[in-house]
Amino acid sequence: QVQLVESGGGLVQPGGSLRLSCAASGIIFRLYVVGWYRQTPGKQRELVAYITSDGRTNYADSVKGRLTISRDNAKNTVALQMNNLKPENTGVYSCNCQMGIQDYWGQGTQVTVSS
């Protein structure tokens, strides 16, 4: 059974930092592209960042320079370091693992950026 479990969300003030983590089980994690997505009420889920199986990264323009995605294939985890957070970064952040037609999602973790 495939499981993706996110953690690390919470309430943070503007300018603050959070580190999200996604732990995967039931898949050969190192073969998958892993992405972090953000969803807010009434809007489509948007891709924030992803990392390929060989470690290449890509970011949404709005988060470049503030967010860093990384993976640890030995621990089957991917992290999203979020710095200098802004209110518009608020949302539910979900982890996605994809390889071909195999596509798995976690439940998500809430990030709220507010003073």
Side-chain angles (χ1 to χ4, degrees):
Q1 183 180 359
V2 178
Q3 272 196 316
L4 302 181
V5 179
E6 299 96 337
S7 61
L11 173 64
V12 64
Q13 292 187 342
S17 296
L18 282 174
R19 185 175 178 87
L20 306 184
S21 183
C22 173
S25 59
I27 58 174
I28 304 176
F29 179 75
R30 61 182 171 81
L31 299 179
Y32 284 73
V33 176
V34 185
W36 282 99
Y37 289 75
R38 183 179 71 94
Q39 187 157 30
T40 53
K43 293 188 178 180
Q44 275 196 323
R45 187 160 44 192
E46 62 173 348
L47 177 63
V48 174
Y50 70 83
I51 185 166
T52 65
S53 57
D54 59 356
R56 288 175 288 124
T57 59
N58 192 273
Y59 300 90
D61 287 342
S62 61
V63 305
K64 284 180 181 176
R66 299 188 296 117
L67 273 59
T68 303
I69 188 170
S70 60
R71 67 190 299 161
D72 185 338
N73 290 333
K75 296 182 179 179
N76 286 4
T77 58
V78 64
L80 185 68
Q81 178 66 42
M82 308 169 73
N83 297 329
N84 190 21
L85 283 164
K86 303 177 180 181
E88 53 263 40
N89 297 129
T90 294
V92 175
Y93 284 73
S94 299
C95 173
N96 170 261
C97 288
Q98 188 173 50
M99 182 180 68
I101 63 170
Q102 297 179 38
D103 191 21
Y104 304 107
W105 291 89
Q107 296 276 21
T109 185
Q110 176 70 44
V111 171
T112 302
V113 184
S114 175
S115 55

